[in-house]
Amino acid sequence: DGGITQSPKYLFRKEGQNVTLSCEQNLNHDAMYWYRQDPGQGLRLIYYSQIVNDFQKGDIAEGYSVSREKKESFPLTVTSAQKNPTAFYLCASSDRGSTYMGNQPQHFGDGTRLSIL
Amino acid sequence: GQQVMQIPQYQHVQEGEDFTTYCNSSTTLSNIQWYKQRPGGHPVFLIQLVKSGEVKKQKRLTFQFGEAKKNSSLHITATQTTDVGTYFCASLYDSGGSNYKLTFGKGTLLTVNP
């Protein structure tokens, strides 16, 4: 079954600690994305990657880091510099979007809920 | 950056009533995508509109893209309790260097009273 797997489902972070959220997809999608969702804020883009070994900052990248060493994987690290990390984190993937090739829908994982201890 | 404004933020209806959410932009949009997120779930793609004035239907859901490609709407006829959730619009834009990303509206939370 093709899809996106995020783990863990729930995560707790201590003060000064970095934590890493996993995102794996077997849809053979080129593009992957990380979003943060807070109540009433919709989805805000943290980082995105259109191809392996390349990624771009989204709208709220401060305090986060990512890597894209494999097409299937796009882990997100929430660093201690992110002072308000409590949120619902969603990973998504899609075929690479292009206004000429046609725009592609995003497929989302089930999310990770991160809280501060 | 490009933004899409979505209204209303919340909508509560009686089962059987109609529901509409609107998505507006000050700039011309290349496309509009609509997603639904059930409570506790993740967003699920519903549909994409690309052409000016386009109208698409999915059973009781009707999606429209404005003639000027600056607004869109999602209309649900005769709501059911299964329609409960947050409906998001999103538009793709080029953030520079051929890097394309979606910008989401803040969503409309629909609740349905049985």
Side-chain angles (χ1 to χ4, degrees):
Chain A
D1 229 11
I4 299 178
T5 302
Q6 287 188 244
S7 62
K9 190 170 183 178
Y10 298 96
L11 186 60
F12 297 91
R13 196 193 87 171
K14 295 179 181 178
E15 292 288 338
Q17 184 183 45
N18 294 351
V19 292
T20 298
L21 284 60
S22 171
C23 179
E24 304 279 333
Q25 55 101 358
N26 60 5
L27 299 168
N28 199 33
H29 284 161
D30 288 311
M32 296 187 74
Y33 311 82
W34 274 105
Y35 294 92
R36 169 177 172 145
Q37 187 172 34
D38 297 279
Q41 293 292 324
L43 280 76
R44 292 185 290 169
L45 184 64
I46 304 173
Y47 269 99
Y48 63 107
S49 168
Q50 297 283 4
I51 54 173
V52 175
N53 292 321
D54 186 51
F55 49 83
Q56 306 292 328
K57 290 183 178 180
D59 301 318
I60 54 165
E62 186 174 351
Y64 300 97
S65 66
V66 294
S67 63
R68 186 84 187 278
E69 298 176 0
K70 298 187 299 182
K71 187 175 184 178
E72 305 79 26
S73 179
F74 191 40
L76 172 74
T77 296
V78 184
T79 74
S80 57
Q82 172 50 247
K83 297 306 179 187
N84 183 23
T86 298
F88 186 44
Y89 291 87
L90 286 159
C91 178
S93 72
S94 72
D95 286 324
R96 185 173 179 178
S98 164
T99 54
Y100 301 102
M101 294 169 57
N103 307 309
Q104 304 299 318
Q106 294 196 356
H107 300 258
F108 286 82
D110 289 337
T112 294
R113 293 192 182 276
L114 176 62
S115 302
I116 295 182
L117 280 178
Chain B
Q2 179 173 303
Q3 290 186 345
V4 285
M5 306 301 292
Q6 199 171 347
I7 55 171
Q9 190 174 1
Y10 307 98
Q11 184 78 57
H12 178 74
V13 299
Q14 289 292 126
E15 190 172 22
E17 292 181 339
D18 293 356
F19 159 77
T20 304
T21 176
Y22 301 90
C23 190
N24 300 304
S25 171
S26 58
T27 60
T28 302
L29 303 171
S30 62
N31 71 322
I32 276 284
Q33 295 182 359
W34 285 93
Y35 292 79
K36 176 184 178 181
Q37 184 176 21
R38 293 182 186 274
H42 59 269
V44 174
F45 175 79
L46 294 176
I47 209 159
Q48 176 171 265
L49 305 174
V50 180
K51 299 177 183 177
S52 169
E54 190 170 12
V55 178
K56 289 188 177 180
K57 293 190 176 183
Q58 290 180 349
K59 298 182 180 178
R60 294 178 294 103
L61 277 61
T62 301
F63 305 83
Q64 292 188 328
F65 202 8
E67 293 290 341
K69 299 183 73 172
K70 290 185 176 181
N71 56 75
S72 180
S73 65
L74 158 58
H75 179 82
I76 302 178
T77 303
T79 55
Q80 300 175 359
T81 55
T82 53
D83 295 325
V84 165
T86 301
Y87 293 84
F88 293 97
C89 63
S91 183
L92 188 74
Y93 73 99
D94 183 358
S95 62
S98 295
N99 289 312
Y100 296 91
K101 59 177 181 175
L102 277 182
T103 294
F104 283 80
K106 291 189 176 182
T108 296
L109 172 60
L110 171 65
T111 55
V112 179
N113 195 29

